[in-house]
Amino acid sequence: MKKQDRQRLIRQLLSSQDIERQEDFVRLLEEQNIHVTQATISRDIKEMQLVKVPAASGGYRYNMPIQKTLDTKKKLTRTLQDAYVSMGVQDKDVIIKVLPGNGHALASMIEEMDYEFVFGVIGDDSTVLAICKNNDGALQLESNINDLLE
Protein backbone atom coordinates (compact mmCIF):
# COMPACT_ATOMS: atom_id res chain seq x y z
CA MET A 1 0.00 0.00 0.00
CA LYS A 2 1.27 3.46 -0.88
CA LYS A 3 2.08 5.88 1.90
CA GLN A 4 -0.53 8.34 0.64
CA ASP A 5 -3.26 5.67 0.74
CA ARG A 6 -2.18 4.50 4.19
CA GLN A 7 -2.23 8.05 5.54
CA ARG A 8 -5.68 8.63 4.03
CA LEU A 9 -6.85 5.50 5.85
CA ILE A 10 -5.26 6.76 9.08
CA ARG A 11 -7.25 10.01 8.73
CA GLN A 12 -10.43 7.97 8.23
CA LEU A 13 -9.66 5.89 11.32
CA LEU A 14 -9.11 9.05 13.35
CA SER A 15 -12.48 10.43 12.30
CA SER A 16 -14.34 7.26 13.28
CA GLN A 17 -12.75 6.26 16.60
CA ASP A 18 -10.49 7.25 19.47
CA ILE A 19 -6.97 5.95 18.94
CA GLU A 20 -4.71 6.28 21.97
CA ARG A 21 -1.53 4.42 21.00
CA GLN A 22 0.56 3.71 17.92
CA GLU A 23 -0.06 0.01 18.49
CA ASP A 24 -3.80 0.70 18.06
CA PHE A 25 -3.10 2.02 14.55
CA VAL A 26 -1.08 -1.13 13.75
CA ARG A 27 -3.90 -3.38 15.04
CA LEU A 28 -6.67 -1.50 13.21
CA LEU A 29 -4.73 -1.60 9.95
CA GLU A 30 -3.98 -5.32 10.44
CA GLU A 31 -7.75 -5.90 10.78
CA GLN A 32 -8.03 -4.50 7.24
CA ASN A 33 -5.18 -6.76 6.00
CA ILE A 34 -2.73 -3.86 5.84
CA HIS A 35 0.54 -4.88 7.44
CA VAL A 36 2.65 -2.07 8.92
CA THR A 37 5.17 -1.77 11.68
CA GLN A 38 4.97 0.53 14.67
CA ALA A 39 7.99 2.38 13.24
CA THR A 40 6.07 3.09 10.03
CA ILE A 41 3.12 4.42 12.05
CA SER A 42 5.53 6.56 14.06
CA ARG A 43 6.86 8.12 10.83
CA ASP A 44 3.31 8.67 9.57
CA ILE A 45 2.33 10.39 12.82
CA LYS A 46 5.30 12.71 12.55
CA GLU A 47 4.74 13.46 8.86
CA MET A 48 1.00 14.02 9.33
CA GLN A 49 1.74 16.17 12.40
CA LEU A 50 -0.82 14.30 14.49
CA VAL A 51 -1.34 15.60 18.01
CA LYS A 52 -2.67 14.04 21.19
CA VAL A 53 -5.77 15.64 22.64
CA PRO A 54 -7.86 14.75 25.73
CA ALA A 55 -10.27 11.89 25.07
CA ALA A 56 -13.76 11.53 26.52
CA SER A 57 -12.55 8.36 28.28
CA GLY A 58 -10.10 10.39 30.34
CA GLY A 59 -6.91 9.49 28.48
CA TYR A 60 -5.48 11.02 25.34
CA ARG A 61 -6.15 10.23 21.70
CA TYR A 62 -4.53 11.11 18.39
CA ASN A 63 -6.09 13.85 16.28
CA MET A 64 -5.33 15.81 13.14
CA PRO A 65 -3.75 19.18 13.87
CA ILE A 66 -6.55 21.74 14.11
CA GLN A 67 -4.52 24.55 12.55
CA LYS A 68 -3.87 22.56 9.37
CA THR A 69 -7.61 22.05 8.85
CA LEU A 70 -8.25 25.75 9.43
CA ASP A 71 -5.47 26.72 7.01
CA THR A 72 -6.80 24.37 4.33
CA LYS A 73 -10.31 25.76 4.76
CA LYS A 74 -8.97 29.33 4.41
CA LYS A 75 -7.01 28.39 1.27
CA LEU A 76 -10.01 26.55 -0.15
CA THR A 77 -12.26 29.56 0.52
CA ARG A 78 -9.80 31.98 -1.04
CA THR A 79 -9.25 29.80 -4.12
CA LEU A 80 -12.97 29.36 -4.64
CA GLN A 81 -13.65 33.07 -4.24
CA ASP A 82 -10.85 33.97 -6.66
CA ALA A 83 -11.27 31.27 -9.32
CA TYR A 84 -14.80 29.79 -9.17
CA VAL A 85 -16.71 29.73 -12.46
CA SER A 86 -19.56 27.22 -12.01
CA MET A 87 -20.64 23.98 -10.36
CA GLY A 88 -22.98 21.15 -11.25
CA VAL A 89 -24.24 18.05 -9.48
CA GLN A 90 -25.36 14.82 -11.10
CA ASP A 91 -26.08 11.80 -8.94
CA LYS A 92 -22.92 11.20 -6.85
CA ASP A 93 -20.73 13.54 -8.90
CA VAL A 94 -19.92 17.21 -8.40
CA ILE A 95 -18.09 19.05 -11.17
CA ILE A 96 -16.53 22.43 -10.40
CA LYS A 97 -15.27 24.73 -13.13
CA VAL A 98 -12.54 27.21 -12.17
CA LEU A 99 -10.26 29.64 -13.94
CA PRO A 100 -7.37 27.94 -15.79
CA GLY A 101 -4.46 26.97 -13.54
CA ASN A 102 -6.59 26.38 -10.43
CA GLY A 103 -8.07 22.91 -10.90
CA HIS A 104 -5.21 20.84 -9.49
CA ALA A 105 -4.87 22.99 -6.37
CA LEU A 106 -8.61 23.02 -5.73
CA ALA A 107 -8.82 19.23 -6.08
CA SER A 108 -5.95 18.83 -3.62
CA MET A 109 -7.58 21.15 -1.08
CA ILE A 110 -10.92 19.35 -1.28
CA GLU A 111 -9.02 16.08 -0.64
CA GLU A 112 -7.22 17.66 2.33
CA MET A 113 -10.53 18.72 3.86
CA ASP A 114 -11.14 14.97 4.29
CA TYR A 115 -14.91 15.21 3.92
CA GLU A 116 -16.30 11.84 4.98
CA PHE A 117 -18.89 11.91 2.16
CA VAL A 118 -16.28 12.35 -0.62
CA PHE A 119 -14.95 9.16 -2.21
CA GLY A 120 -12.30 10.79 -4.39
CA VAL A 121 -11.34 13.95 -6.23
CA ILE A 122 -9.52 14.52 -9.50
CA GLY A 123 -8.63 17.78 -11.15
CA ASP A 124 -7.09 19.17 -14.28
CA ASP A 125 -6.19 22.71 -15.28
CA SER A 126 -9.69 24.18 -14.94
CA THR A 127 -12.04 21.40 -13.82
CA VAL A 128 -12.48 19.41 -10.62
CA LEU A 129 -14.52 16.22 -10.39
CA ALA A 130 -15.49 15.10 -6.89
CA ILE A 131 -17.04 11.66 -6.69
CA CYS A 132 -19.09 11.32 -3.54
CA LYS A 133 -20.14 8.15 -1.76
CA ASN A 134 -23.81 8.79 -2.48
CA ASN A 135 -26.21 11.40 -3.86
CA ASP A 136 -26.69 13.04 -0.46
CA GLY A 137 -22.91 13.43 -0.19
CA ALA A 138 -22.85 15.26 -3.51
CA LEU A 139 -25.54 17.64 -2.28
CA GLN A 140 -23.60 18.15 0.96
CA LEU A 141 -20.42 19.00 -0.96
CA GLU A 142 -22.36 21.41 -3.15
CA SER A 143 -23.76 23.08 -0.03
CA ASN A 144 -20.29 23.30 1.58
CA ILE A 145 -18.83 24.87 -1.57
CA ASN A 146 -21.69 27.37 -1.76
CA ASP A 147 -21.16 28.29 1.91
CA LEU A 148 -17.47 28.97 1.24
CA LEU A 149 -18.37 31.17 -1.73
CA GLU A 150 -20.51 33.52 0.39
Side-chain angles (χ1 to χ4, degrees):
M1 168 174 269
K2 291 189 221 173
K3 176 172 65 171
Q4 177 183 344
D5 295 333
R6 185 180 61 249
Q7 289 182 357
R8 182 176 297 120
L9 185 56
I10 287 171
R11 282 192 293 276
Q12 290 172 353
L13 290 171
L14 286 172
S15 68
S16 65
Q17 53 195 295
D18 287 351
I19 300 173
E20 298 177 357
R21 302 172 310 134
Q22 293 179 7
E23 293 82 8
D24 296 336
F25 281 116
V26 173
R27 179 182 49 78
L28 290 167
L29 291 170
E30 287 281 339
E31 289 173 4
Q32 297 186 31
N33 290 322
I34 300 165
H35 307 288
V36 295
T37 65
Q38 182 270 329
T40 298
I41 293 297
S42 180
R43 285 189 294 273
D44 286 339
I45 288 170
K46 183 176 182 180
E47 186 173 307
M48 296 170 68
Q49 300 175 353
L50 299 183
V51 295
K52 281 208 165 184
V53 297
S57 63
Y60 288 88
R61 64 180 175 83
Y62 282 102
N63 199 16
M64 292 297 297
I66 294 168
Q67 187 61 41
K68 183 175 181 181
T69 302
L70 293 176
D71 288 346
T72 301
K73 187 173 182 179
K74 283 181 187 177
K75 289 178 194 173
L76 178 59
T77 301
R78 190 172 349 147
T79 301
L80 283 167
Q81 290 173 346
D82 291 345
Y84 177 84
V85 174
S86 65
M87 176 170 44
V89 176
Q90 181 175 320
D91 299 324
K92 300 185 297 186
D93 303 328
V94 179
I95 193 156
I96 305 164
K97 298 285 188 175
V98 291
L99 296 175
N102 291 281
H104 294 291
L106 183 63
S108 178
M109 285 181 257
I110 292 171
E111 258 318 305
E112 281 184 46
M113 289 299 292
D114 202 29
Y115 294 123
E116 72 276 356
F117 46 83
V118 174
F119 176 74
V121 183
I122 56 174
D124 69 7
D125 191 54
S126 61
T127 306
V128 173
L129 173 62
I131 302 166
C132 297
K133 294 179 180 175
N134 54 45
N135 296 1
D136 290 337
L139 295 173
Q140 180 64 49
L141 181 60
E142 178 186 39
S143 175
N144 287 12
I145 298 293
N146 283 328
D147 289 346
L148 295 174
L149 285 166
E150 293 178 355

